[in-house]
């Protein structure tokens, strides 16, 4: 056999194979490079760009977050919303420069400070307060009518708990007393009641969104109104993902439509959505009372009770044909109503506008998700959703919530 034939008969050498790069390294690698680049950019103080800020005065943007009045003192909490550091140098109260102390001499971006001002204010009088920065800027923090802020003791927390029970737990429980009526109602009436439920949930979503946006309309810290929509979208997606997981866990068909959701699960979703909304409502009530801007009269409590009673009806309506036991109903009522207690306690102690707006957005997204889940249940025998009865029900739900909402304007 010739040399060429031997070479042709020899097995071909296998090509050299490189060890594959781990998948996690391919994902982490770009992040590490970005971090190194940003670190160098920061350490070198943005080479070539430092002259851009020459001759440009610092930008001072400060928002007032809280005002508390105690005998002989005014405590004001402010937050730096701008990109530059801010220092409060003077405090002017109705053309009088008052002595003050503060928890932080200089505020970096997004930092806050609480100023304690020595001033013998008179109850009921208005005061024009101006915080003067080291650069001469003025931050208004006016007080329409001076009133003593409540002490945060055991009696105060007891009052907040009682308030949460009055406006959350009791109204929802009263609304759930419609259960016997819903059970005996014909199918056409149940569709009308489901329309009412969709209407009131839609109103709650819109109302919570507008209230949250108003909270941070003049406060750009942490993104301003964007936190409201982030909270709403996050809540909607979490509930959708949870529902999908429950479907897989229970081995439901992948092609199942929302209408196949079990009544018990729909009632639970409604209770969760309403509970998150009531948490935001309690948060607003507690924070308003803590700063002395909420008059806790009997008429206001009655207004809240009437306004929130319809929420109980929304919970029991999907259970028309499959009523649960009393223990399950009690649990649903607590899920929907008790968050108002937690909201009132938190709002009265650690109130922060951006956080409150975010949580209100969470409530809005939650009830919106539940409303979408209910829409397929409005179909009649001809598979039409927006029939005359269901449309009337939706409009009636919106109208009832609007009318009862007029009773709780604080």
């Amino acid at each position: 056999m010739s040399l060429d034939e031997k070479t042709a008969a020899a097995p071909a050498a296998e090509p050299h194979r490189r060890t594959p790069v781990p998948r996690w390294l391919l994902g982490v690698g770009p992040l590490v490079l970005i971090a190194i680049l940003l670190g160098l950019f920061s350490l070198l103080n943005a080479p070539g760009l430092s002259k851009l800020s020459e001759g440009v005065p610092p930008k001072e943007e400060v928002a007032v977050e809280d005002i508390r009045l105690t005998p002989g003192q005014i405590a004001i909490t402010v937050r730096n919303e701008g990109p530059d550091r801010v220092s409060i140098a003077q405090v002017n109260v109705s053309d009088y420069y008052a002595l003050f102390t503060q928890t932080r001499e200089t505020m970096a971006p997004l930092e806050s400070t609480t100023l304690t001002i020595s001033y013998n204010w008179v109850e009921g009088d208005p005061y024009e307060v101006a915080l003067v920065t080291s650069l001469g800027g003025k931050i208004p923090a006016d007080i329409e009518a001076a009133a003593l802020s409540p002490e945060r003791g055991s009696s105060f927390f007891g009052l907040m708990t009682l308030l949460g029970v009055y406006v959350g737990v009791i109204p929802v429980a009263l609304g759930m007393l419609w259960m016997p009526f819903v059970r005996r109602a014909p199918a056409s009436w149940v569709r009308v009641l489901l329309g009412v439920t969709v209407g009131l949930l839609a109103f709650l979503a819109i109302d919570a969104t507008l209230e949250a946006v108003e909270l941070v309309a003049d406060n750009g810290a942490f993104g301003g109104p964007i936190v409201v929509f982030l909270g709403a979208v996050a809540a909607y997606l979490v509930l959708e993902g949870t529902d999908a997981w429950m479907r897989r866990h229970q081995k439901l068909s992948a092609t199942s439509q929302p209408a196949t959701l079990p009544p018990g699960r729909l009632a639970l979703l409604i209770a969760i959505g309403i509970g998150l909304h009531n948490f935001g409502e309690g948060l607003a009530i507690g924070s308003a009372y803590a700063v002395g801007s909420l008059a806790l009269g009997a008429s206001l409590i009655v207004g809240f009770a009437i306004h929130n009673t319809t929420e109980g009806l929304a919970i029991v309506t999907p259970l028309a044909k499959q009523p649960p036991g009393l223990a399950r109903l009690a649990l649903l009522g607590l899920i929907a109503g008790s968050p108002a207690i937690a909201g009132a306690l938190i709002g009265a102690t650690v109130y922060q506008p951006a956080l409150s707006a975010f949580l209100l957005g969470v409530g809005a997204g939650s009830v919106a998700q539940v409303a979408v889940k209910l829409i397929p249940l409005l179909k009649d025998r001809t598979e039409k959703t927006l029939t005359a009865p269901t449309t009337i029900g939706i409009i009636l739900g919106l109208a009832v919530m609007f009318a009862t909402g007029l009773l709780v304007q604080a």
Side-chain angles (χ1 to χ4, degrees):
M1 182 181 293
S2 65
L3 180 61
D4 292 339
E5 292 176 344
K6 291 181 179 180
T7 303
E14 294 185 2
H16 177 68
R17 293 183 179 179
R18 295 180 179 180
T19 303
V21 179
R23 185 182 301 174
W24 65 268
L25 185 59
L26 295 175
V28 175
L31 296 177
V32 174
L33 293 176
I34 291 172
I36 293 173
L37 179 62
L38 293 178
L40 291 173
F41 191 78
S42 178
L43 289 174
L44 296 176
N45 195 23
L49 301 180
S50 57
K51 293 184 179 181
L52 288 176
S53 59
E54 290 182 359
V56 179
K59 189 176 183 180
E60 296 181 327
E61 295 181 2
V62 180
V64 177
E65 290 191 345
D66 190 24
I67 301 176
R68 287 183 56 82
L69 280 74
T70 55
Q73 290 184 336
I74 302 174
I76 301 177
T77 300
V78 295
R79 186 176 299 275
N80 179 14
E81 298 181 343
D84 300 311
R85 291 178 174 271
V86 178
S87 299
I88 305 298
Q90 295 177 326
V91 175
N92 185 296
V93 183
S94 297
D95 297 328
Y96 170 77
Y97 284 95
L99 298 175
F100 69 98
T101 60
Q102 54 185 323
T103 57
R104 183 178 278 112
E105 296 292 334
T106 302
M107 292 180 289
L110 296 182
E111 284 186 342
S112 65
T113 185
T114 299
L115 300 96
T116 303
I117 306 163
S118 299
Y119 190 85
N120 292 317
W121 51 272
V122 178
E123 187 172 0
D125 287 357
Y127 293 96
E128 295 180 357
V129 182
L131 311 179
V132 185
T133 68
S134 57
L135 297 180
K138 290 187 177 181
I139 304 148
D142 296 340
I143 301 171
E144 295 182 0
L148 188 66
S149 298
E151 293 292 333
R152 295 170 180 174
S154 57
S155 60
F156 173 74
F157 292 121
L159 176 61
M160 290 297 99
T161 301
L162 187 61
L163 181 60
V165 172
Y166 280 158
V167 304
V169 178
I170 293 178
V172 172
L174 291 176
M176 296 179 76
L177 294 178
W178 270 306
M179 185 69 190
F181 168 76
V182 173
R183 288 180 58 186
R184 297 183 182 182
S188 58
W189 276 89
V190 171
R191 284 195 295 273
V192 173
L193 292 175
L194 287 171
V196 172
T197 301
V198 171
L200 72 88
L201 291 176
F203 181 92
L204 290 178
I206 296 170
D207 183 59
T209 302
L210 294 177
E211 184 178 348
V213 170
E214 185 179 357
L215 275 179
V216 289
D218 300 322
N219 191 329
F222 306 105
I226 192 65
V227 300
V228 180
F229 301 100
L230 286 177
V233 172
Y236 190 97
L237 294 177
V238 166
L239 287 179
E240 281 288 339
T242 302
D243 179 61
W245 177 83
M246 292 175 67
R247 284 172 176 271
R248 288 195 301 269
H249 185 69
Q250 296 180 5
K251 298 181 180 180
L252 293 178
S253 171
T255 60
S256 295
Q257 299 299 320
T260 63
L261 281 176
R265 190 189 302 175
L266 268 177
L268 177 60
L269 285 175
I270 293 173
I272 292 173
I274 289 175
L276 289 171
H277 174 268
N278 283 338
F279 179 82
E281 194 173 76
L283 199 70
I285 294 171
S287 60
Y289 179 70
V291 299
S293 63
L294 180 65
L296 288 177
S299 59
L300 184 61
I301 299 300
V302 171
F304 271 115
I306 295 174
H307 182 66
N308 292 345
T309 296
T310 51
E311 296 173 353
L313 174 63
I315 296 171
V316 299
T317 298
L319 303 172
K321 303 306 178 184
Q322 297 182 19
L326 290 178
R328 181 69 179 273
L329 283 176
L331 179 61
L332 291 173
L334 287 175
I335 291 173
S338 59
I341 301 174
L345 291 171
I346 294 174
T349 52
V350 291
Y351 174 72
Q352 207 285 326
L355 176 61
S356 300
F358 175 79
L359 293 174
L360 283 170
V362 168
S366 301
V367 294
Q369 190 268 351
V370 178
V372 171
K373 289 293 182 184
L374 283 173
I375 289 177
L377 295 181
L378 302 180
K379 293 180 180 179
D380 60 7
R381 294 179 180 177
T382 62
E383 294 297 314
K384 291 184 179 179
T385 302
L386 291 179
T387 60
T390 56
T391 303
I392 292 173
I394 294 173
I395 295 174
L396 183 60
L398 292 169
V400 168
M401 294 301 288
F402 176 78
T404 56
L406 298 177
L407 301 175
V408 294
Q409 297 296 326

